[in-house]
Amino acid sequence: MIETERLTLLPLTYEHLVSYYNNDGSLEILLNINRTIRTISEALKEALDETILPNVADVNKNYLFSTLWSVIVKKENKMIGDICFVGEPNENGEIEIGYGTYEEFRKKGYMTEAVGGMIVWAQKQNAISSITASTEKKNTASFLVLEKNHFKKVGETETLFHWRLKIN
């Protein structure tokens, strides 16, 4: 668990992820938090099915690098978004981060704070030398989160910006 000024970032176990996927309020009951209205995109459902759930179930992997971390705002005791690393660090010590804020909680600085919390956590892990991310060029809010956390743009494609933050 990671604590920031306004947030708790909680890594979800396999059981939590199944409840998250079901999106029926059972996760909030397990975590003893207030219910949040959220939708799970088809892309996230596919990631849960194909990579996240299998990797979290794999006892040979550190699940903290594969699971979703629920971003919970302390004041309301509600989930306001999700953040994750996309697998364990590669041979160069690079790790990719992804995140999303539920619509009603956007434009409050929560995800900037959550990414900052994950950076502090990552700095304490020996195997990580940098964090990477990709954002859609049209998603200004997403790349502002990275810029506010001192990521540097290191490349782009037709539709994406690529970012890196050296941490160790």
Side-chain angles (χ1 to χ4, degrees):
M1 182 169 55
I2 298 168
E3 297 275 343
T4 68
E5 183 180 339
R6 300 181 296 163
L7 306 171
T8 300
L9 284 64
L10 185 67
L12 300 182
T13 65
Y14 188 88
E15 178 187 12
H16 292 151
L17 287 169
V18 171
S19 293
Y20 177 96
Y21 188 96
N22 291 337
N23 200 12
D24 59 3
S26 60
L27 178 60
E28 289 83 352
I29 292 168
L30 282 172
L31 299 179
N32 195 28
I33 60 175
N34 296 318
R35 182 108 192 244
T36 303
I37 296 171
R38 59 187 162 88
T39 57
I40 303 172
S41 69
E42 287 305 314
L44 182 52
K45 284 182 182 178
E46 184 178 317
L48 283 160
D49 285 334
E50 294 181 12
T51 57
I52 297 171
L53 283 164
N55 285 338
V56 171
D58 187 340
V59 296
N60 296 312
K61 295 186 180 198
N62 182 341
Y63 88 101
L64 297 174
F65 293 109
S66 299
T67 194
L68 292 178
W69 294 61
S70 285
V71 180
I72 301 166
V73 64
K74 294 174 186 177
K75 186 176 181 180
E76 297 178 45
N77 197 33
K78 280 187 171 184
M79 289 173 45
I80 58 92
D82 311 299
I83 195 163
C84 67
F85 291 116
V86 186
E88 295 180 357
N90 67 18
E91 61 280 352
N92 298 321
E94 298 171 329
I95 192 161
E96 184 178 353
I97 195 169
Y99 48 86
T101 308
Y102 307 150
E103 194 165 336
E104 72 176 283
F105 299 102
R106 293 179 182 162
K107 299 184 179 179
K108 297 177 182 354
Y110 290 136
M111 198 51 65
T112 298
E113 186 174 331
V115 169
M118 293 297 272
I119 291 167
V120 170
W121 180 86
Q123 288 171 327
K124 296 174 184 172
Q125 312 307 308
N126 293 332
I128 302 174
S129 62
S130 63
I131 303 173
T132 64
S134 295
T135 59
E136 293 181 12
K137 287 183 173 180
K138 294 180 181 179
N139 191 344
T140 306
S142 188
F143 65 73
L144 285 174
V145 165
L146 298 173
E147 288 179 340
K148 289 175 184 175
N149 278 291
H150 311 290
F151 280 73
K152 303 295 181 211
K153 196 182 319 173
V154 294
E156 62 184 272
T157 65
E158 188 175 314
T159 58
L160 299 173
F161 289 130
H162 301 292
W163 304 85
R164 174 174 281 113
L165 175 70
K166 292 187 180 191
I167 60 169
N168 288 328

